[in-house]
Amino acid sequence: MSQPRPAGVHVRTPATSANLGPGFDALGLALELYDEAEVALRDDDRVMVEIDGEGADEVPRDGSHLVVRAMRSTFEAMGKQLPGVELRCRNRIPHGRGLGSSASAIVAGVSAALVLLGQESVGSGRIDRDRVFRLAADIEGHPDNVAPCVYGGFTIAWREAEAWHALPLAPSPRLRPVVCIPEERLSTEQARGLLPDSVPHGAAAFTAGRAALLVAAVTGHPELLLDATVDRLHEAYRGPAMPASAALARELREQDGLPAVISGAGPTVLVLGNAPELAERDENPPPEGDPGRINGDQADSIRERAGKGWHIRPITIDPAGVRISSPRLWTCVEE
Ligand code: HSE
């Protein structure tokens, strides 16, 4: 028996790379690689989930699916109970690689829930990003992926007085990220479990200075990225859990002079290259001998350096973050 279909919503959410070296749990970048989710409420309490693409064979197809959990949390935050849902996902962000697949699912669930609660209107195509960000950060527990996923571009996120905050900033148009995605996975939970309770004062002071430099480098001085991406708070502690990624990042930095970091909790390696040929679009043109540049040849040289088993992908920065629109993917059917 088919049900009358409630009005649904289509949500598009970008991949994200967090930390960017010294910006642990604070800095993030949105990338032009998108998950799509489409959701409608049902009149009963059934949860129906269809998934295409990344994670299709692994993620649950019931109420424990992360998009549905985020919807449930959002309904509860508004004093409502989530009824049954129909969810269709087209996933492109690889799972367990440090590219923000969880943040993408959470932001999709929160955004969809707000629309279906009548708190946001698809017609305008706009959404209250601050509210989505706060609800999503509460669910994720750290804000550095959800912030760029919601706002796009480059973000600084923090928590103060029990509240989440984010500042979106425009990244330099010269920035040209390349992601090096391995076959292996590492869960964020496992990677966070490798961190020590405390670090030496010198490591904290060093990293604070580089994080400040990193904000300047990403927003206008990408020629400083090699120095600006050195971290002493997390990457070395996690290296043993992703030795191939740690080795690739080190070789790219030390032998090729490229600002390579571990993306989020890993094991993807992110190269924050910059493209001097784009300098005419930049208010801060590159100085002579600009290091860390990326062009087609260098993407090939990264590919060569990485060798087999890595997917090397030059990628542009997503400027806009989460986007809502009318449904377009519907295929859920009654069994
Ligand atoms: N800042 C987080 C971490 C990002 O490194 O654990 C996880 O996606």
Side-chain angles (χ1 to χ4, degrees):
M1 269 283 291
S2 66
Q3 305 266 343
R5 180 148 6 249
V9 58
H10 178 272
V11 187
R12 192 188 80 162
T13 41
T16 49
S17 182
N19 300 335
L20 312 179
F24 181 75
D25 273 3
L27 303 184
L29 204 55
L31 303 172
E32 282 195 347
L33 174 65
Y34 301 100
D35 281 348
E36 294 175 78
E38 201 151 278
V39 198
L41 301 181
R42 291 179 59 89
D43 294 334
D44 56 23
D45 59 3
R46 278 189 69 186
V47 173
M48 297 171 66
V49 179
E50 286 188 13
I51 306 165
D52 285 337
E54 296 288 339
D57 300 332
E58 300 146 24
V59 296
R61 284 178 158 70
D62 57 21
S64 66
H65 188 285
L66 190 49
V67 171
V68 181
R69 275 161 46 205
M71 290 184 70
R72 191 177 301 116
S73 293
T74 307
F75 268 67
E76 285 168 5
M78 303 296 152
K80 298 269 175 25
Q81 200 186 346
L82 181 69
V85 299
E86 293 182 15
L87 166 67
R88 166 101 201 235
C89 298
R90 184 170 289 164
N91 293 340
R92 300 190 185 87
I93 305 171
H95 290 193
R97 306 303 211 298
L99 288 169
S101 61
S102 305
S104 160
I106 291 169
V107 169
V110 170
S111 305
L114 290 175
V115 171
L116 296 170
L117 278 161
Q119 308 259 329
E120 300 283 350
S121 145
V122 172
S124 72
R126 285 197 298 271
I127 192 158
D128 179 347
R129 290 175 195 277
D130 296 344
R131 180 155 67 162
V132 175
F133 164 67
R134 287 192 300 268
L135 288 163
D138 266 341
I139 297 169
E140 174 109 305
H142 54 91
D144 48 339
N145 287 103
V146 293
C149 187
V150 169
Y151 297 101
F154 171 58
T155 51
I156 309 175
W158 68 101
R159 187 167 173 83
E160 180 61 41
E162 302 297 307
W164 301 105
H165 304 271
L167 178 66
L169 296 171
S172 163
R174 275 194 278 145
L175 262 191
R176 274 292 168 273
V178 176
V179 285
C180 313
I181 308 172
E183 292 296 325
E184 299 80 52
R185 299 169 181 220
L186 181 63
S187 77
T188 299
E189 195 185 357
Q190 191 190 339
R192 288 181 90 82
L194 295 170
L195 300 177
D197 290 338
S198 60
V199 295
H201 185 275
F206 176 97
T207 308
R210 298 306 170 100
L213 183 61
L214 181 54
V215 173
V218 169
T219 53
H221 298 276
E223 70 279 1
L224 298 175
L225 278 165
L226 191 58
D227 284 354
T229 46
V230 186
D231 153 78
R232 292 196 182 159
L233 292 186
H234 63 99
E235 287 189 0
Y237 297 105
R238 292 169 161 178
M242 46 179 142
S245 301
L248 177 61
R250 189 171 54 246
E251 286 169 22
L252 289 166
R253 296 185 69 85
E254 293 176 2
Q255 296 181 35
D256 303 327
L258 292 171
V261 297
I262 300 298
S263 178
T268 289
V269 173
L270 171 76
V271 182
L272 279 171
N274 78 85
E277 67 272 17
L278 300 176
E280 71 280 2
R281 287 164 48 189
D282 198 337
E283 288 170 8
N284 298 292
E288 286 294 307
D290 180 10
R293 61 187 59 185
I294 289 284
N295 55 36
D297 294 346
Q298 276 161 319
D300 285 344
S301 79
I302 292 171
R303 211 166 271 124
E304 252 171 60
R305 169 77 62 204
K308 283 207 168 75
W310 292 83
H311 177 57
I312 309 297
R313 176 177 176 147
I315 194 162
T316 36
I317 296 172
D318 164 78
V322 61
R323 213 172 70 182
I324 55 171
S325 56
S326 300
R328 56 183 80 165
L329 300 175
W330 281 119
T331 61
C332 276
V333 286
E334 289 285 334
E335 283 160 21

